[in-house]
Amino acid sequence: MILFPPAKLNLGLQIIAKRSDGYHDLQTVFYQFPLKDVLEIIEDNSLAPGECVFKSTGLSIPDGENLCVKAYKLLHEVFTLPGVRIYLHKIIPMGAGLGGGSSDAAYTLKLLNTLFDLKMSVDELKTYALILGSDCPLFVEETPQYAEGRGELLSKINVELKGKHLLIVNPNIHISTVDAFANISPKLSNSCKYIVDNDLKSWEADLVNDFEKFVIPNHPELADIKEKFYLMGADYAAMSGSGSTMFGIFSDPIPGADWPAHYFVWQSVL
């Protein structure tokens, strides 16, 4: 079976409190969009139960146990799964604020649930997904969602971007999530949940990613990309997650532009 794990954007990201467990309470609107990896899982009876062979192509994945493998092992502990081969073609840039690894993990759970008829509900899938990472439950369902807590408290939200044009630019800069959180000053503010209800053209003034205050001054390239988006006619431009991907949302077709060869550039109609 083959599924296509998508990427996500953060439409606003507000850090409102530091928690006693070391995490932060946040507010964000998650919006999935069709930049997708390719995930295939095949049952292989020549492998022992609980044995998983993982292979990846596309973008290079750092050494260490992949989240897809962790997802398989997590379910094997509960359901005693047959051996499988997992193939992942990696297209979504990693460490870029686009949630690619979390999406791959959640879609592994979903695919295994279907492949082996495990009959897990959406809520059960989200419970297992949360064990793998705070962003993973988002990808169990495909609708825009408002997130609170450390990102795991999800509720559906209506965000109307159908027909808008999306431009993604990642300058291949590594942003330390640990450093980004360490330099955040939590504060209460008007929630992005209500701001995204307003006209898209008002988002520039009101819809904020709190990480930009720390990340962009340390990486001027990101400020240049954001400025270029607005010069190109974007209705809204921002950083996704803790970076370093910048995105622009346009009402009109995106004009051509030159970008450095090492940048990851992608665009689509939503």
Side-chain angles (χ1 to χ4, degrees), residues 6-9 30-34 107 138-139 141-143 145:
K8 61 83 178 168
L9 299 173
F30 286 123
Y31 190 91
Q32 297 178 44
F33 67 98
Y107 271 69
L138 156 71
F139 294 101
E141 299 183 277
E142 299 179 8
T143 58
Q145 294 179 69

Side-chain angles (χ1 to χ4, degrees), residues 138-199:
L138 156 71
F139 294 101
V140 171
E141 299 183 277
E142 299 179 8
T143 58
Q145 294 179 69
Y146 174 64
E148 298 176 284
R150 58 186 176 98
E152 84 286 8
L153 302 177
L154 300 169
S155 57
K156 291 184 175 62
I157 186 170
N158 182 39
V159 181
E160 187 49 68
L161 293 177
K162 187 175 177 61
K164 301 297 183 183
H165 299 258
L166 174 66
L167 176 60
I168 297 288
V169 175
N170 183 288
N172 199 27
I173 295 172
H174 174 71
I175 307 295
S176 167
T177 302
V178 173
D179 288 347
F181 270 104
N183 285 275
I184 281 285
S185 298
K187 64 182 185 305
L188 291 172
S189 56
N190 186 22
S191 174
C192 53
K193 178 180 183 179
Y194 306 107
I195 296 171
V196 297
D197 277 340
N198 299 328
D199 181 79

Side-chain angles (χ1 to χ4, degrees), residues 8 37 59-62 67 90-102 104 135 170-177 180 215 219 222 239-246:
K8 61 83 178 168
D37 291 338
L59 296 176
S60 178
I61 296 176
L67 276 173
K90 194 67 185 158
I91 297 171
I92 303 170
M94 288 157 287
L98 297 176
S102 297
D104 295 337
D135 283 354
N170 183 288
N172 199 27
I173 295 172
H174 174 71
I175 307 295
S176 167
T177 302
V215 173
H219 301 281
L222 301 181
M239 187 173 74
S240 186
S242 57
S244 60
T245 297
M246 307 298 293

Side-chain angles (χ1 to χ4, degrees), residues 113 116-121 124:
N113 188 41
F116 296 117
D117 195 23
L118 303 180
K119 295 182 171 58
M120 287 188 291
S121 67
E124 287 174 310

